Amino acid sequence: MAVMGARPCWIVLHEPRIVRTLLGKPRAVRAINVSPDNASDFEKSIAAQLPKR
């Protein structure tokens, strides 16, 4: 869950991953929304770790 008012940064996965919810039920996740303090630096650091296409 992202912080209200913050710029959302979505991490989209290549394929769904099964995670456990707060109550322990399995759920498929395709994307994760994070809200870093500095979105542009976060995007640069992630891009530097991804293989070049």
Side-chain angles (χ1 to χ4, degrees):
M1 179 179 281
V3 175
M4 290 183 62
R7 180 175 161 210
C9 291
W10 285 95
I11 301 170
V12 180
L13 306 172
H14 285 285
E15 55 188 56
R17 301 288 301 197
I18 303 298
V19 299
R20 298 241 174 237
T21 66
L22 186 61
L23 300 176
K25 295 179 92 177
R27 177 178 178 179
V29 172
R30 294 183 185 94
I32 303 164
N33 186 2
V34 296
S35 53
D37 293 334
N38 188 326
S40 61
D41 284 348
F42 176 76
E43 290 173 1
K44 288 176 189 173
S45 67
I46 295 297
Q49 296 179 41
L50 296 174
K52 302 294 181 206
R53 288 186 172 196

